[in-house]
Amino acid sequence: MAHRADVTAHRGAVLHFRSDPGEHDAPDSYEYWEDGLLLVRDGKVEKVGDWAALSAGLPDPCNVVMHGCKLLLPGFIDPHIHFPQTDVIASGGHNLLDWLEHYTFPAEQRFADTTHAREVASFFLDELLANGTTTAQVLGTVHRGAIEEFFQVAKDRRLRMIAGKVLMDRNSPDDLRDTAAGGELDTRELIEKWHDNDRLHYAITPRFAPTSSADQLASAGRLAQEYPTVLIHSHLAENRDEIAWVRELFPDSQSYLDVYDRFGLLRERATYAHCLHLDAQDRRRMAASGAAAAFCPTSNLYLGSGLFDIAASDAAGLRFALATDVGGGTSFSMLKTMSEGYKVAQMLGQRLSPLRAFYLATLAGARILGLQDRIGHFAPGTEADFIVLDPAATPLLARRSAQALTLSERLLLLLVLGDDRCVSSTYVLGERVTRNS
Ligand SMILES: [Zn+2]
């Protein structure tokens, strides 16, 4: 893209969050300007607010981009997704363990080939950006080379991404296993090379308790202690057969959560996908540790795993954010993910308001990943990763949006009827990186 003045004023409807709106849409939790301004200089947010109040003071020269009635939002943040499962999405499998054995592991075996890994990483990032997701926490495979390819492709695009090589030393095919010592050495070297390298961060990534020996989980805990700013990323309590298996494998543990706790894997910047079948005690214990949950509704419904309990998580003070979990999840779109999350809440007689759903797809992710000082909202000084959503992207959306009176009504329409067709543009550090419209 040609470089003009390094300051650009974006005019449109602007929404971002300052805190969790909770169940009742706390009025000070968000800021919204129907005719707003987002001023971006050198890839960072310089100002945000009302166009009429701020436009007289624009710098000169200044590029101006008019977005009409489209909605400017911080880029979506997906805290749990598997890049090697791009080619598994919408495959069969009756449940988690069956799906892993018959679809996921065979697809992951191909990532021994770094050329394949690079091609998939590139397609995967194109797909994320087309869907308006500018940051994700990404699981790789057991192969060190594959995650190196992912990091390099993300770095070339100047994206803020978190990723990790999967640790898996048992209960998986021969060519998808590392060893406790080998996995620790690879992880250590990957952390040294990639953690805080430009906009990239490393996550220590045991796949889940059943595929790591006690020795391997202990080594992951040691690494977590040695590198306190590194993230931790895994799965927890997704499926009842899985939980029974964990009980057999770790008979001394009080619960599935207790396995991770005993090995020092619960702390701030630790994200556990699913967390469906936890009791109140485990939720409180997890909340107290600072670890957070990734709520993956399309995956939980597709694999029949269960319903994430928003009210119980809130009652325990357990933080969570929305995530796609592709390829158990069925869409790269955080809009479609919000829609399924809304329905999961309905099934439990709970409420997920449209405002809170958008919070869970933006600022909530930044917070659980420890990146809230850089991304996920529009405070001055944050990085200008943002998206432009078109509330009239399809004839039906245009028709219904014309009837919507309130912000909540407009957001509900976007999340229920929207998908990647609504993402007019995705900007990374102030530069437009997609041309969907
Ligand atoms: Zn997953």
Side-chain angles (χ1 to χ4, degrees):
M1 172 179 275
H3 211 73
R4 294 162 294 174
D6 61 2
V7 57
T8 302
H10 294 270
R11 181 179 185 180
V14 178
L15 172 68
H16 76 137
F17 294 88
R18 298 156 61 92
S19 59
D20 185 349
E23 199 184 343
H24 303 292
D25 290 347
D28 58 353
S29 64
Y30 66 97
E31 292 184 303
Y32 175 65
W33 299 275
E34 195 162 304
D35 183 11
L37 164 73
L38 182 69
L39 189 68
V40 175
R41 184 189 292 276
D42 293 333
K44 292 196 168 170
V45 174
E46 183 164 291
K47 262 184 206 169
V48 65
D50 184 60
W51 174 266
L54 297 175
S55 56
L58 288 180
D60 182 24
C62 177
N63 303 312
V64 178
V65 182
M66 306 292 254
H67 296 285
C69 60
K70 292 177 183 169
L71 179 65
L72 278 66
L73 268 182
F76 292 133
I77 296 172
D78 184 347
H80 179 74
I81 186 167
H82 302 246
F83 98 89
Q85 293 178 15
T86 302
D87 292 325
V88 181
I89 192 168
S91 57
H94 295 302
N95 58 49
L96 171 68
L97 301 179
D98 173 59
W99 173 83
L100 281 173
E101 182 183 344
H102 291 107
Y103 299 96
T104 304
F105 287 154
E108 292 192 3
Q109 283 163 330
R110 296 187 63 197
F111 284 73
D113 173 2
T114 51
T115 305
H116 176 66
R118 171 165 283 256
E119 187 276 327
V120 175
S122 190
F123 180 91
F124 172 87
L125 290 173
D126 284 344
E127 198 65 22
L128 283 184
L129 294 168
N131 280 281
T133 299
T134 49
T135 291
Q137 180 164 240
V138 179
L139 287 99
T141 58
V142 74
H143 311 99
R144 173 180 174 160
I147 208 69
E148 296 242 35
E149 295 293 333
F150 176 83
F151 275 125
Q152 190 59 54
V153 174
K155 181 171 176 165
D156 292 345
R157 297 173 180 225
R158 304 169 72 213
L159 299 173
R160 191 166 283 292
M161 287 282 157
I162 303 123
K165 180 203 105 74
V166 162
L167 297 168
M168 184 155 73
D169 69 347
R170 66 170 171 172
N171 294 324
S172 47
D174 290 350
D175 55 352
L176 283 182
R177 282 202 301 267
D178 56 9
T179 61
E184 180 173 349
L185 180 64
D186 279 345
T187 298
R188 186 181 301 282
E189 291 179 359
L190 287 164
I191 290 170
E192 295 289 344
K193 181 171 179 185
W194 293 107
H195 185 58
D196 293 341
N197 179 335
D198 283 356
R199 304 185 77 204
L200 304 172
H201 309 280
Y202 197 82
I204 299 164
T205 311
R207 177 178 217 113
F208 66 153
T211 50
S212 284
S213 64
D215 279 353
Q216 183 159 67
L217 292 174
S219 84
R222 277 197 303 277
L223 287 164
Q225 196 166 27
E226 193 176 332
Y227 296 99
T229 66
V230 164
L231 293 91
I232 299 169
H233 187 197
S234 192
H235 299 88
L236 170 63
E238 176 176 3
N239 167 293
R240 295 202 184 275
D241 293 341
E242 169 208 15
I243 292 167
W245 193 18
V246 170
R247 202 175 298 125
E248 280 172 34
L249 292 168
F250 298 93
D252 299 337
S253 288
Q254 294 163 14
S255 68
Y256 194 162
L257 182 86
D258 184 54
V259 175
Y260 293 128
D261 201 5
R262 284 198 316 169
F263 290 109
L265 293 168
L266 295 185
R267 64 152 156 81
E268 295 278 339
R269 287 182 303 287
T271 306
Y272 287 88
H274 310 306
C275 302
L276 300 179
H277 310 288
L278 298 179
D279 62 20
Q281 187 184 350
D282 273 350
R283 284 196 180 89
R284 284 196 299 272
R285 186 172 172 189
M286 190 170 166
S289 75
F295 171 19
C296 310
T298 74
S299 171
N300 299 158
L301 295 171
Y302 187 69
L303 293 174
S305 302
L307 304 174
F308 182 82
D309 194 328
I310 292 174
S313 301
D314 283 344
L318 176 60
R319 298 180 305 158
F320 58 95
L322 274 165
T324 64
D325 192 28
V326 164
T330 53
S331 175
F332 280 81
S333 169
M334 290 299 280
L335 292 170
K336 293 190 81 135
T337 303
M338 284 183 234
S339 177
E340 298 307 292
Y342 182 93
K343 294 172 196 169
V344 165
Q346 291 284 79
M347 289 301 293
L348 291 173
Q350 301 176 4
R351 174 174 155 74
L352 175 59
S353 78
L355 268 166
R356 194 178 195 200
F358 275 82
Y359 162 78
L360 291 173
T362 55
L363 180 59
R367 284 178 153 185
I368 70 170
L369 299 170
L371 295 171
Q372 71 277 11
D373 56 341
R374 304 177 191 192
I375 54 169
H377 57 112
F378 287 146
T382 55
E383 296 165 348
D385 289 355
F386 65 97
I387 57 176
V388 182
L389 296 184
D390 183 357
T394 68
L396 180 60
L397 262 168
R399 181 185 177 92
R400 288 289 289 114
S401 292
Q403 301 160 3
L405 298 176
T406 67
L407 174 62
S408 285
E409 288 172 357
R410 287 197 284 271
L411 295 178
L412 186 58
L413 287 170
L414 271 170
L415 76 85
V416 173
L417 298 175
D419 52 33
D420 54 335
R421 292 170 296 177
C422 295
V423 183
S424 292
S425 311
T426 301
Y427 289 81
V428 171
L429 295 174
E431 298 280 342
R432 189 176 181 196
V433 295
T434 59
R435 297 173 187 284
N436 293 3
S437 59

